Amino acid sequence: MYLVKSPLLLKWYYPSLVWNKSRADKVVYLTFDDGPIPVVTDFVLNTLKSFNCKATFFCIGDNINKHAEIFEQVKSEGHAIGNHTFNHLKGWKTEDNTYIQNFKSCQQLTDTDLFRPPYGRIKKSQIKALRKINPQLNIIMWDVLSGDFDVDLSPEKCYENVIKNTRNGSIIVFHDSLKAFDRLKFALPATLKFLTARGYEFHTL
């Protein structure tokens, strides 16, 4: 069970997290979770380049170690990097010290002020501990979830999830993962074409 549009109750409960950016300008923020992964991340980079777009990649530390050359390519092409823990830990089910150490292991590789908790699940105690380590840390959530990770979702519905819910300042979640690829390879270029035609700009976080 997941919600395409982030509910107001969650935003109220976690007011210090970043759910969207300014609604004033026609700017959106594409984000990609769980990479870098061969083939899939390459596809994302090539697609973004074809539309002259920049995005933010929330990377898993273990994948960075396995695919360092792809990680370096993401950075060299001008995209922003975020920490997504070393092993994609679910904060609600992970003891705080373990979670923080996993964050630190990924942080050694990413060296960033951006963090997204895997699954969007994080305890308030973990938020407090992370901010003690890095007071400048921006914990990034989203307001539009594509659902590309859902193997029961059609590529067309994934695309529809994004374009029906995106507005000024939206933070949109896709995944550069093998699980998401069947939906991503249709939905991402279609989304970029649709939003570009409507005058949106794509910025990094």
Side-chain angles (χ1 to χ4, degrees):
M1 172 65 181
Y2 59 92
L3 298 171
V4 172
K5 196 78 177 165
S6 297
L8 290 174
L9 182 62
L10 269 182
K11 296 182 180 183
W12 171 82
Y13 188 72
Y14 291 109
S16 70
L17 309 190
V18 180
W19 296 90
N20 59 267
K21 302 292 276 184
S22 170
R23 301 294 191 189
D25 300 313
K26 218 163 184 186
V27 174
V28 295
Y29 302 82
L30 289 179
T31 67
F32 296 88
D33 289 4
D34 298 355
I37 295 288
V39 179
V40 187
T41 305
D42 294 328
F43 165 82
V44 171
L45 291 174
N46 289 334
T47 304
L48 293 173
K49 189 183 295 182
S50 70
F51 284 89
N52 196 29
C53 291
K54 301 301 180 190
T56 303
F57 288 75
F58 289 92
C59 299
I60 294 172
D62 189 41
N63 283 339
I64 294 173
N65 276 345
K66 290 175 181 173
H67 312 295
E69 70 291 343
I70 305 175
F71 179 66
E72 291 303 321
Q73 185 180 353
V74 173
K75 292 194 293 181
S76 70
E77 294 188 7
H79 303 290
I81 299 296
N83 182 326
H84 202 45
T85 73
F86 195 86
N87 298 111
H88 204 261
L89 298 185
K90 187 176 289 188
W92 291 359
K93 294 186 175 181
T94 306
E95 189 269 329
D96 285 6
N97 285 337
T98 301
Y99 193 81
I100 300 310
Q101 289 305 314
N102 209 265
F103 165 88
K104 285 181 175 179
S105 295
C106 186
Q107 189 67 4
Q108 289 176 352
L109 300 170
T110 53
D111 187 27
T112 177
D113 290 333
L114 301 174
F115 174 66
R116 173 173 283 156
Y119 311 99
R121 308 287 170 83
I122 189 169
K123 302 173 194 170
K124 286 192 172 183
S125 57
Q126 292 163 348
I127 294 171
K128 185 177 179 180
L130 291 176
R131 292 221 164 107
K132 188 174 286 188
I133 296 167
N134 180 1
Q136 307 304 316
L137 191 68
N138 290 298
I139 301 177
I140 307 294
M141 303 298 272
W142 60 83
D143 68 336
V144 181
L145 189 63
S146 69
D148 57 354
F149 56 85
D150 182 353
V151 297
D152 295 322
L153 193 71
S154 71
E156 293 78 13
K157 179 59 178 170
C158 178
Y159 163 66
E160 188 180 298
N161 283 346
V162 178
I163 65 166
K164 281 193 170 183
N165 291 286
T166 295
R167 58 192 180 113
N168 292 8
S170 283
I171 298 173
I172 303 164
V173 180
F174 286 105
H175 293 77
D176 52 332
S177 67
L178 290 171
K179 185 178 181 183
F181 195 34
D182 283 347
R183 285 150 297 283
L184 182 71
K185 60 189 176 186
F186 172 82
L188 179 59
T191 294
L192 287 167
K193 183 177 179 180
F194 177 89
L195 294 177
T196 299
R198 278 148 186 81
Y200 282 97
E201 295 180 13
F202 300 87
H203 291 188
T204 60
L205 291 164

